[in-house]
């Protein structure tokens, strides 16, 4: 589309086919796409995405002396998995640069489809059409308290009198916790609600408060202790996500292999065989585990509750 500046600016439309109007230029202050123009833009964006992938493929080196990886992940993984993963990647392939972004799972999947990311690290469940999921391990949620706390197991009914510090509702983990508490009819008092995992761990280590996080968070934090609940919180499957039929760079392949080895070395629970067989078969749906709509959250009256908010990290 060319813009010609004169006494009165006007637009010259690119030819699609003789007589085809792509833009509605009847208005002087703005331009609207015609229905054919919207179709044209959709396919043009797809072509630009494919060209960008082709450029990355040309620059890709199979010997991994250099490369670039765009990784998106849900925020709880930063508390226990990102550090070991990046350390292992840097030790094995120091020439690979990494772009790391934290975001909710729905944004990860949308970004994969738009070719904004190469790999996503999230959870199994209904995925958007065009997303391929590879199960990695099963994650165990647990009550997390200071290192001097009773090791448990703790009956779930005892949580009714236990003050908690929990992630806010924009985290999938909070949805799992709320569903578990609602299923057992428990409404614990919530003293602090935060959208930062680091804020939770720093608060818990210094107070009698407890939180619910992946038990693996305590692996590299000696000042924290996992306290099993009875009955246990449900397991959830951690998955690597990518766009179906997308170009897979040497850096992406190396990261996938490295991640698989790392989770095995650290002793994370393997994925059950039936889960692995059915990975990726779930139908697409706007609802996923932990959705907030209509879900009991056990917040109580909200009196005496402190809310902590922080900017989402982007590294």
């Amino acid at each position: 589309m060319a813009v010609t500046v004169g006494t009165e600016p006007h637009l010259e439309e690119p030819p699609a086919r003789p007589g085809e109007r792509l833009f509605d230029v009847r208005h002087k202050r703005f331009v609207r796409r015609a229905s054919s123009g919207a179709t044209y833009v959709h396919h043009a964006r797809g072509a630009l995405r494919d060209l960008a992938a082709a450029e990355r493929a040309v620059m890709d080196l199979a010997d991994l002396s250099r490369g670039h990886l765009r990784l998106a992940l849900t925020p709880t993984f930063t508390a226990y998995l990102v550090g070991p993963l990046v350390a292992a990647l840097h030790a094995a392939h120091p020439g690979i640069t990494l772009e790391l972004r934290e975001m909710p799972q729905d944004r990860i999947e949308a970004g994969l489809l738009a070719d904004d990311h190469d790999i996503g690290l999230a959870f199994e469940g209904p995925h958007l059409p065009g997303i391929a999921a590879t199960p990695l391990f099963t994650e165990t949620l647990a009550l997390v308290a200071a290192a001097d706390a009773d090791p448990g197991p703790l009956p779930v009914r005892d949580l009714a009198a236990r003050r908690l510090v929990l992630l806010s509702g924009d985290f999938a983990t909070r949805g799992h916790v709320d569903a578990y508490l609602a299923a057992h009819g428990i409404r614990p008092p919530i003293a602090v609600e935060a959208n930062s995992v680091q804020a939770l761990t720093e608060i818990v280590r210094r107070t009698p408060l407890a939180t619910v996080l992946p038990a693996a968070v305590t692996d590299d934090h000696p000042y924290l202790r996992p306290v099993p609940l009875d009955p246990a919180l449900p397991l959830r499957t951690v998955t690597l996500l990518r766009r179906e039929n997308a170009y897979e760079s040497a850096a992406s392949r190396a990261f996938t292999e490295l991640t698989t080895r790392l989770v095995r070395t650290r002793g994370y629970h393997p994925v059950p065989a039936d889960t692995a067989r059915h990975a990726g078969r779930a139908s697409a749906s706007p609802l996923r585990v932990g959705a907030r709509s209509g879900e009991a959250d056990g917040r109580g009256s909200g009196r005496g509750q402190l809310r902590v908010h922080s900017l989402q990290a982007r590294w």
Side-chain angles (χ1 to χ4, degrees), residues 249-304:
S249 67
S252 294
R253 292 193 298 272
F255 179 83
T256 300
E257 295 169 3
L258 183 149
T259 303
T260 303
R261 290 198 304 268
L262 182 77
V263 300
R264 186 167 57 244
T265 300
R266 291 177 71 87
Y268 298 149
H269 296 292
V271 177
D274 59 340
T275 301
R277 282 196 303 269
H278 291 86
R281 295 184 184 175
S283 60
S285 167
L287 297 178
R288 63 178 70 253
V289 175
R292 305 297 303 161
S293 177
E295 186 175 66
D297 60 12
R299 289 193 179 103
S301 65
R303 289 193 295 260

Side-chain angles (χ1 to χ4, degrees), residues 1 11 13 21-38 41:
M1 180 176 69
L11 300 176
E13 297 181 14
R21 178 176 292 276
L22 299 182
F23 300 97
D24 183 352
V25 294
R26 290 174 297 177
H27 303 278
K28 292 184 178 181
R29 294 188 179 182
F30 57 88
V31 177
R32 289 178 177 172
R33 290 194 297 263
S35 58
S36 56
V41 168

Side-chain angles (χ1 to χ4, degrees), residues 135-160:
L136 277 176
F137 63 95
T138 53
E139 185 185 71
T140 303
L141 292 173
L143 193 72
V144 174
D148 58 356
D150 188 322
L154 183 73
V156 65
R157 63 177 178 275
D158 291 359
L159 288 180

Side-chain angles (χ1 to χ4, degrees), residues 49-63:
R49 184 178 62 236
D50 292 340
L51 285 172
E55 183 179 1
R56 290 196 301 274
V58 170
M59 298 299 295
D60 189 24
L61 290 180
D63 64 1

Side-chain angles (χ1 to χ4, degrees), residues 67-232:
H68 184 67
L69 181 68
R70 302 169 300 166
L71 174 65
L73 70 166
T74 55
T76 50
F77 293 123
T78 60
Y80 72 93
L81 192 55
V82 165
L85 273 177
V86 174
L89 180 66
H90 182 70
H93 309 293
I96 295 178
T97 58
L98 179 66
E99 179 183 334
L100 182 66
R101 295 185 178 182
E102 286 184 348
M103 60 188 67
Q105 183 160 342
D106 55 351
R107 286 180 53 198
I108 291 175
E109 296 189 10
L112 287 168
L113 294 175
D115 196 37
D116 293 333
H117 324 306
D118 299 312
I119 296 178
L121 191 59
F123 299 103
E124 186 54 69
H127 301 295
L128 294 177
I131 295 296
T134 303
L136 277 176
F137 63 95
T138 53
E139 185 185 71
T140 303
L141 292 173
L143 193 72
V144 174
D148 58 356
D150 188 322
L154 183 73
V156 65
R157 63 177 178 275
D158 291 359
L159 288 180
R162 184 88 179 242
R163 300 188 76 199
L164 300 180
V165 46
L166 294 179
L167 290 168
S168 54
D170 48 346
F171 284 75
T173 298
R174 178 60 183 274
H176 285 267
V177 174
D178 287 348
Y180 171 82
L181 294 173
H184 295 283
I186 305 298
R187 296 175 62 87
I190 299 176
V192 181
E193 191 175 58
N195 72 342
S196 163
V197 176
Q198 184 178 2
L200 298 193
T201 58
E202 290 299 311
I203 291 168
V204 167
R205 67 179 292 192
R206 291 174 171 83
T207 68
L209 300 173
T211 188
V212 178
L213 287 173
V217 168
T218 64
D219 289 349
D220 299 318
H221 297 88
Y223 50 82
L224 298 176
R225 157 176 282 174
V227 179
L229 292 172
D230 183 20

